[in-house]
Amino acid sequence: MGNLCTCFAPRTVKKKTLKDINDSLIQEQALAAAILFRQHQQRNGSGPLFFKRSTSQRQENSKKTQLPRSCSSRPRTVTDQLLQPHQLVNQDIKLNDLETNHFVLVHGGGYGAWCWYKTIALLEESGFRVTATDLTGSGIHSFDTNGITDLSEYVNPLTDFLGNLAEGEKVILVGHDFGGACLSYAMELFPHKISKAIFIAATMLADGQSAISMFSQQEGSNDDLMRPAQIFLYGNGNGRPPTAIDMDKPLLKDLLFNRSPAKDVALASVSMRPIPFAPVMEKLCLSDMNYGSVRRFYIQTLEDKAIPLSLQESMISASPPEKVFRLKGSDHSPFFSKPQALHKLLVEISSA
């Protein structure tokens, strides 16, 4: 595959099983969360899911009113203060006056709709409509990842959803990681059904660019933790090109969740699936008339090890969005590490 594959050079790694988690309570809670999410989706499709908040509270010296703490065991910074959902919403915002109050959340490579559980709850409790969909071969979608042959097949659950929207109905698309390329693909097909597109630590590619070419810019840098974590899968035989990319489970925390709570890391460790290889290789065809007509916003994650800030800045410079926001203290997965700060930005962008 020539130079395009330099940042994804295959390596021989024996697939490892999930290591024992020292804190058994954390593991049990994470496994329970994953099971609840799967059961809910099996009953109701890929729609929103509500999780009960943790009943535990921690005391902290502060002049501010004490509020219930989240399930995070990590001390919070001032950039992600714990507030009730109604306190996170600008009281001047009237949901019925927005062009749309419907968010559609698109997960990144290897993730699934399950990763948005905190964001779903916060947005729903603030009065927004939310849809989170498993892309083909992701989450609880039953398709074999190794059988995905192009980007259109991978994005099909999203494009089907957009295609079935009522005449005149619009949504706000939110994409994370490789979900950014999926957003761009959908924007080219359905620009009239998308009010805004929000890229969160996402692959915001230019016309004619592929995700793998974007990642190749990072090769050789001190921030490149992606390559050591990759395990290539060869569903069509060792003599054929890779069909999917798996992640070395013990390296997930350092790469994707270096600022996330242990419970969410455990949930991800038992829920993530391989990333289809063909869509990562595919070049996007984007036009000013379609893709370029949709308002774009980018949310940077400043402690990101998977798509470092320098790479995010490069994509932003190559194809500038309308506005750029910064999430201080966030790793590659802000829906885990900075859920309240992320929620506040999503609400702000909805009224922009």
Side-chain angles (χ1 to χ4, degrees):
M1 288 172 284
N3 293 332
L4 281 179
C5 296
T6 53
C7 68
F8 288 95
R11 63 191 184 94
T12 302
V13 178
K14 184 179 180 180
K15 199 160 185 179
K16 301 176 182 178
T17 59
L18 180 63
K19 289 185 177 180
D20 291 337
I21 298 174
N22 293 332
D23 188 336
S24 61
L25 178 59
I26 288 177
Q27 187 181 42
E28 290 172 3
Q29 289 174 325
L31 288 170
I35 292 169
L36 282 173
F37 197 98
R38 289 168 180 152
Q39 289 176 341
H40 172 88
Q41 287 191 309
Q42 288 167 348
R43 289 194 303 268
N44 304 313
S46 58
L49 171 65
F50 292 94
F51 281 85
K52 293 183 179 179
R53 297 186 181 278
S54 171
T55 57
S56 63
Q57 293 185 354
R58 293 188 288 109
Q59 298 299 321
E60 182 177 301
N61 292 329
S62 173
K63 294 180 181 180
K64 296 183 179 181
T65 304
Q66 295 298 308
L67 297 167
R69 290 286 176 184
S70 77
C71 61
S72 173
S73 59
R74 175 181 54 81
R76 296 259 178 174
T77 67
V78 293
T79 60
D80 196 29
Q81 296 175 1
L82 285 158
L83 302 172
Q84 298 289 5
H86 71 274
Q87 295 175 290
L88 289 164
V89 179
N90 186 332
Q91 296 303 308
D92 294 332
I93 295 177
K94 299 187 185 304
L95 297 180
N96 292 333
D97 293 340
L98 299 177
E99 183 178 19
T100 178
N101 63 8
H102 188 175
F103 281 92
V104 176
L105 309 178
V106 182
H107 63 80
Y111 296 80
W114 53 266
C115 73
W116 297 107
Y117 78 94
K118 293 180 182 180
T119 301
I120 291 171
L122 287 169
L123 287 172
E124 291 264 1
E125 290 168 9
S126 297
F128 291 90
R129 296 173 59 199
V130 188
T131 300
T133 304
D134 283 318
L135 299 177
T136 305
S138 304
I140 65 167
H141 194 284
S142 60
F143 196 86
D144 181 6
T145 307
N146 292 290
I148 298 172
T149 58
D150 56 34
L151 185 59
S152 65
E153 185 177 19
Y154 180 60
V155 185
N156 188 63
L158 173 62
T159 53
D160 271 358
F161 173 82
L162 293 174
N164 288 323
L165 287 175
E167 186 69 27
E169 184 178 357
K170 291 189 175 186
V171 298
I172 299 173
L173 283 187
V174 180
H176 170 249
D177 184 79
F178 186 58
C182 302
L183 253 64
S184 299
Y185 184 89
M187 291 158 66
E188 182 66 25
L189 291 179
F190 300 103
H192 57 290
K193 295 191 175 185
I194 302 167
S195 170
K196 302 177 182 73
I198 305 173
F199 294 75
I200 305 173
T203 51
M204 188 173 65
L205 307 177
D207 177 44
Q209 189 178 26
S210 66
I212 202 168
S213 66
M214 181 273 294
F215 277 112
S216 69
Q217 301 174 30
Q218 185 184 347
E219 185 185 9
S221 72
N222 294 330
D223 294 329
D224 185 9
L225 297 178
M226 181 71 76
R227 186 168 52 174
Q230 293 166 349
I231 302 172
F232 276 74
L233 305 180
Y234 296 85
N236 297 326
N238 291 334
R240 305 290 299 277
T243 51
I245 309 166
D246 207 354
M247 290 292 175
D248 198 351
K249 293 298 191 293
L251 299 181
L252 281 180
K253 179 173 176 59
D254 289 340
L255 178 65
L256 305 177
F257 311 112
N258 49 296
R259 292 297 185 95
S260 295
K263 294 177 183 178
D264 293 323
V265 178
L267 172 61
S269 295
V270 298
S271 303
M272 293 194 75
R273 294 178 62 181
I275 305 164
F277 191 68
V280 176
M281 291 283 293
E282 188 169 329
K283 295 180 180 180
L284 291 181
C285 294
L286 305 174
S287 67
D288 290 336
M289 180 178 296
N290 294 333
Y291 169 82
S293 68
V294 181
R295 300 174 65 192
R296 285 181 292 125
F297 300 82
Y298 201 99
I299 298 178
Q300 294 181 309
T301 44
L302 304 191
E303 303 296 330
D304 198 323
K305 302 300 183 184
I307 303 183
L309 185 60
S310 59
L311 194 51
Q312 296 178 43
E313 293 280 8
S314 176
M315 290 186 288
I316 289 169
S317 297
S319 181
E322 181 174 323
K323 190 171 182 179
V324 176
F325 299 84
R326 311 187 105 197
L327 268 180
K328 183 179 179 181
S330 173
D331 58 21
H332 186 61
S333 306
F335 35 75
F336 290 158
S337 59
K338 289 290 177 183
Q340 303 237 12
L342 174 60
H343 171 75
K344 187 174 181 179
L345 289 182
L346 294 179
V347 172
E348 180 179 344
I349 295 171
S350 73
S351 63

